[in-house]
């Protein structure tokens, strides 16, 4: 069920979808870098929709 006016805050400035601390994607994928995709701490979760902003890598 899609809800209106939801926002995802993002502070990863090197992601091309980040704009003024907000993610501009309509949908993101979240995963983890752990065995069997079973996170035990929030630090183990990762944004799977991340794409590097080319201008950040050129500096």
């Amino acid at each position: 069920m899609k809800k209106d006016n939801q926002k995802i805050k993002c502070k990863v400035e090197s992601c091309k979808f980040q704009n003024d601390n907000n993610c501009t994607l309509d949908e993101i994928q979240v995963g983890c870098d752990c065995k069997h995709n079973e996170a035990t701490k929030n630090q183990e979760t990762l944004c799977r929709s991340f794409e590097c902003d080319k201008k950040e890598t050129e500096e």
Side-chain angles (χ1 to χ4, degrees):
M1 181 167 118
K2 184 175 178 174
K3 295 182 180 181
D4 294 331
N5 298 321
Q6 289 184 310
K7 292 184 180 179
I8 299 168
K9 299 291 184 187
C10 178
K11 294 183 179 180
V12 181
E13 293 179 10
S14 59
C15 182
K16 78 176 191 177
F17 302 115
Q18 195 261 41
N19 184 18
D20 294 327
N21 289 328
N22 289 303
C23 180
T24 60
L25 292 172
D26 291 331
E27 177 180 290
I28 65 166
Q29 293 182 18
V30 177
C32 74
D33 191 24
C34 47
K35 292 182 182 179
H36 309 293
N37 287 327
E38 293 180 9
T40 57
K41 300 176 185 144
N42 69 349
Q43 295 94 329
E44 295 174 342
T45 61
L46 303 168
C47 178
R48 298 285 185 197
S49 300
F50 171 85
E51 287 187 28
C52 190
D53 187 348
K54 289 190 184 249
K55 67 182 177 202
E56 290 288 329
T57 59
E58 292 172 357
E59 293 178 353

